[in-house]
Amino acid sequence: NFKRHSLVSLLIVITWMIKARFARKSLYRCQRAKNFTAKTGRNVLNDGRINWQKLVCLAAVKLISVLKPVIDRRRRTQAQRPMNAVTVELLKEAVALGIPAEYVLFDSWFSSPKMFWQLKTLGLDSVGMLK
């Protein structure tokens, strides 16, 4: 029950609303849509004929099926290793991919002489809260 009889596709309206949310904007402050107004977005959200629970569940199933092959084994093995080792591994990957950084900021959970030394070998300075 998430089909509307309108010239504007429900998928286009929902996509616009998701983009607005990720841009941290309200429906009225986000970039204007080409085919409809913010009032259309509000009307879609308030439409009692749309089964939002089913729509969200179907979207979650699709998202999980797309992401599961990519992250399931990698996240499971990472979750079983020490968090400091995983942190250094993720930072090495970020540096290798070309993400620019001069400093790494973290809290007391990660503050240790070994962590500061490992990050320095990556060419990164560290700022951390001490225990």
Side-chain angles (χ1 to χ4, degrees):
N1 296 339
F2 43 83
K3 292 187 179 183
R4 298 180 63 229
H5 302 291
S6 174
L7 297 175
V8 180
S9 163
L10 179 63
L11 182 61
I12 292 172
V13 177
I14 290 175
T15 302
W16 175 75
M17 288 189 283
I18 290 171
K19 286 180 182 178
R21 186 63 201 137
F22 275 104
R24 296 184 178 199
K25 303 282 185 183
S26 71
L27 295 182
Y28 295 103
R29 293 192 174 260
C30 68
Q31 184 177 359
R32 292 186 178 267
K34 295 177 184 175
N35 303 333
F36 57 92
T37 65
K39 185 176 180 181
T40 304
R42 191 182 74 233
N43 289 342
V44 165
L45 287 173
N46 291 326
D47 192 341
R49 297 171 295 173
I50 298 174
N51 187 343
W52 289 105
Q53 185 173 355
K54 184 176 180 181
L55 181 63
V56 169
C57 286
L58 290 173
V61 166
K62 183 66 175 176
L63 183 63
I64 290 168
S65 70
V66 169
L67 293 178
K68 189 172 182 174
V70 179
I71 64 172
D72 195 37
R73 288 182 302 259
R74 179 178 82 233
R75 289 184 50 88
R76 176 80 176 136
T77 57
Q78 284 180 342
Q80 295 173 338
R81 295 181 30 231
M83 67 179 167
N84 285 353
V86 174
T87 302
V88 172
E89 178 184 304
L90 292 173
L91 288 169
K92 281 182 184 177
E93 184 178 348
V95 168
L97 290 173
I99 296 175
E102 294 180 26
Y103 299 94
V104 177
L105 176 65
F106 48 88
D107 68 3
S108 61
W109 279 83
F110 298 94
S111 294
S112 69
K114 183 178 178 181
M115 178 62 86
F116 286 111
W117 179 79
Q118 286 177 320
L119 294 178
K120 195 64 175 171
T121 60
L122 292 175
L124 298 169
D125 288 324
S126 306
V127 177
M129 185 179 283
L130 296 177
K131 298 175 185 177

